[in-house]
Amino acid sequence: MALVAVVLTLGLTAPTTTLAATAPDLGTAAGYSGFGKAGVTNVNAATHVWGNVGADSSVTGLIASQVSGTINAPAAGVEAAILSAYGSLAAQSADAALDLAGTNTVSPGVYTVG
């Protein structure tokens, strides 16, 4: 009877997951879906972006109705926030290598891409 109680107790508790990656603070970049250091150019009238789009220089070919957020050029502070987040992730050890040639299902973590 005691074994049944242990099995039922363990079976009803959710598994604990430990992730190696610590999510970086995105700061002012948190609301951006796209950012281009040298600018952003859109060539497809059917494009839709969910979030903000920004660049240090210019955003061309993308109109407000194609973006659910805002278009910002120049986007002050976004590049620094992106570089800070990248530095935070780069300092963490990778969980695995990822090959982009196939179809991938990945869990949260830090991956290297060759």
Side-chain angles (χ1 to χ4, degrees), residues 6 14 19-21 27 29 31 33 50 55-56 59-60 63 67 76 86-89 99 103-104 106-108:
V6 170
L19 305 174
S33 295
W50 287 266
D56 276 354
V59 176
T60 58
I63 58 175
V67 179
Y86 176 81
S88 174
L89 288 172
D99 180 3
T103 301
N104 298 289
V106 296
S107 58

Side-chain angles (χ1 to χ4, degrees), residues 1 4 8 20 22 24 26-27 30 47 49 61 66 70 92 94 99 103 110:
M1 183 67 157
V4 172
L8 286 175
T22 301
L26 297 177
T47 298
V49 179
Q66 292 175 297
T70 60
Q92 298 181 42
D99 180 3
T103 301
V110 176

Side-chain angles (χ1 to χ4, degrees), residues 67-97:
V67 179
S68 66
T70 60
I71 299 173
N72 300 306
V78 176
E79 179 184 5
I82 290 169
L83 291 173
S84 176
Y86 176 81
S88 174
L89 288 172
Q92 298 181 42
S93 59
D95 296 320

Side-chain angles (χ1 to χ4, degrees), residues 37-66:
K37 168 77 175 146
V40 173
T41 301
N42 177 49
V43 295
N44 186 338
T47 298
H48 187 84
V49 179
W50 287 266
N52 301 325
V53 175
D56 276 354
S57 55
S58 65
V59 176
T60 58
L62 195 61
I63 58 175
S65 64
Q66 292 175 297

